[in-house]
Amino acid sequence: MLTHLECTRCGERYPADRPQTVCPKDAGVLYARYDLAAIKKSFSSARLAGRAPTMWRYDAILPEADPVTLGEGFTPMLASREFPNVFIKDEGLNPTGSFKARGLSACVTMARRFGLKKLAIPSAGNAAGALAAYCAAANLEAHIFMPKDVPSANRIECDYYGAHVTLVDGLISDCARKVAELKDYEFWKNDGWFDVSTTKEPYRVEGKKTMGYEVAEQLGWRMPQGIIYPTGGGVGLLGMWKAFEEMEALGWISSKTAGQERPKMISVQSAGCAPIVKAWDDEKTSAEMWPNATTLASGLRVPKPYADYLILDILKKSKGTAVSAADEEILEATRHWAKVEGIFAAPEGAACLVAYRKLRASGFFKPEDTVVLFNTGSGLKYLDVLDASVARTPAKPAQSAKPAARQIGGIIGPY
Ligand SMILES: [Zn+2]
């Protein structure tokens, strides 16, 4: 039922029967579009019951292809032990221990369908591990470009998955340049290479949108009043908002029905790298490059997300907001969640708790509001960051000529 791809900037349509990157006219992010009227006739939300507990249970509104799956998605929606009406969506239980599994499962599925052979990604974090795993499952080559002193978990998993890991003497931006340079060579076109960078191909958003479907289904087709989402590249935020639009077109939810209004979407970022928070506070429609980005929450170290204009538009349309959390607050929240909820979260996920507390204190959320907090990954991927015997707070860049490995890891974009 996938009909075409559509530019999110100019609305231009592109065929969905071949690999596509971004809009050739204005470099806008491309969204997959479906014949939702036809899907509405042939499929209903009631038919989800009894389907496999993975993200592919929603294959009626995903591209038609043989999925490359490791059982990703349909993660637990856990009721908070501390706050009534708060739910923690625990994405740490995905394959490779993070929400990146969803986007890369969809992306690698389509890459295999299009006959691509070698998928390249500049990443130092969980996206790299996920790409490596799904390429292993699909028998495709994963080409990971990482800074040479990346966090150990991501480097080791990529190695074990059999990915081609190129360690680059520099930052993630240098890695992105390496990938860009490859495109000048004949082999890039002839040997089936493809760049799967964040929001530079259309299908990672499709995988991530299943989080939006799950929020609705797991809450019994009632929508929460708010969703707090740690925002690096922002793919999940884009995907969930797209899912809500689709579900309304499909008649699965209605924004005119009480309890089914769209949630307020809240971006949480680290105070050490908060381009979306700054742009939101300044009432801008795009973000500026954040200088000297530093945070232990490596997935949030994105100085300027490529889809900034879409993220900010969603915050505005949903009457949401953007909140920053200091690394010290994030560390405390990570420990607090572990002790109080029994969830050993990624620091990015625990940042949601910091944001929720602030939004409760300011009156933005009331105790009776249902709010979903996204834990985007497992703390087990961050042992070198979280090991209290090594460090409680990250070193400031000024204190050492060479930043610690964890401060480099996980920057994604802009390229
Ligand atoms: Zn365009």
Side-chain angles (χ1 to χ4, degrees), residues 6-12 14 22-30:
E6 184 181 69
C7 176
T8 52
R9 278 192 200 273
C10 70
E12 184 71 35
Y14 297 96
V22 294
C23 177
K25 288 183 181 173
D26 55 16
V29 174
L30 300 184

Side-chain angles (χ1 to χ4, degrees), residues 376-391:
T376 47
S378 168
L380 294 174
K381 301 287 286 280
Y382 297 79
L383 292 181
D384 44 357
V385 176
L386 297 174
D387 186 348
S389 71
V390 175

Side-chain angles (χ1 to χ4, degrees), residues 216-293:
E217 186 181 358
Q218 292 178 323
L219 294 178
W221 305 106
R222 292 181 64 81
M223 297 297 264
Q225 278 68 59
I227 291 178
I228 306 182
Y229 186 79
T231 307
V235 179
L237 201 77
L238 271 48
M240 283 193 275
W241 196 250
K242 186 172 185 287
F244 300 150
E245 282 176 3
E246 290 173 357
M247 279 189 278
E248 284 179 17
L250 292 167
W252 294 9
I253 56 169
S254 166
S255 56
K256 295 182 184 75
T257 302
Q260 293 189 337
E261 299 94 346
R262 297 258 189 113
K264 295 183 170 100
M265 304 298 281
I266 291 103
S267 277
V268 58
Q269 298 195 304
S270 167
C273 181
I276 294 296
V277 179
K278 183 174 190 306
W280 176 257
D281 289 345
D282 294 346
E283 297 182 18
K284 299 267 178 61
T285 54
S286 65
E288 285 170 32
M289 176 79 83
W290 188 272
N292 305 316

Side-chain angles (χ1 to χ4, degrees), residues 194-372:
F194 196 71
D195 177 1
V196 299
S197 296
T198 305
T199 56
K200 291 196 171 179
E201 64 76 53
Y203 299 107
R204 285 175 65 180
V205 170
E206 291 306 286
K208 286 277 188 74
K209 84 178 180 188
T210 58
M211 297 191 296
Y213 283 89
E214 287 176 28
V215 165
E217 186 181 358
Q218 292 178 323
L219 294 178
W221 305 106
R222 292 181 64 81
M223 297 297 264
Q225 278 68 59
I227 291 178
I228 306 182
Y229 186 79
T231 307
V235 179
L237 201 77
L238 271 48
M240 283 193 275
W241 196 250
K242 186 172 185 287
F244 300 150
E245 282 176 3
E246 290 173 357
M247 279 189 278
E248 284 179 17
L250 292 167
W252 294 9
I253 56 169
S254 166
S255 56
K256 295 182 184 75
T257 302
Q260 293 189 337
E261 299 94 346
R262 297 258 189 113
K264 295 183 170 100
M265 304 298 281
I266 291 103
S267 277
V268 58
Q269 298 195 304
S270 167
C273 181
I276 294 296
V277 179
K278 183 174 190 306
W280 176 257
D281 289 345
D282 294 346
E283 297 182 18
K284 299 267 178 61
T285 54
S286 65
E288 285 170 32
M289 176 79 83
W290 188 272
N292 305 316
T294 311
T295 174
L296 60 84
S298 52
L300 297 179
R301 200 162 176 245
V302 183
K304 180 178 167 25
Y306 191 76
D308 56 352
Y309 66 103
L310 292 172
I311 297 166
L312 289 160
D313 186 51
I314 291 166
L315 299 188
K316 192 172 179 182
K317 280 183 180 155
S318 73
K319 299 181 176 64
T321 188
V323 181
S324 66
D327 274 2
E328 294 75 14
E329 293 174 308
I330 292 174
L331 267 182
E332 185 278 331
T334 307
R335 187 176 286 278
H336 185 83
W337 253 3
K339 285 175 79 171
V340 173
E341 306 281 3
I343 297 170
F344 187 35
E348 295 87 348
C352 292
L353 173 60
V354 180
Y356 178 72
R357 286 171 179 161
K358 290 182 179 182
L359 293 170
R360 275 289 300 278
S362 71
F364 185 93
F365 283 130
K366 296 178 181 64
E368 62 269 28
D369 289 334
T370 299
V371 182
V372 175

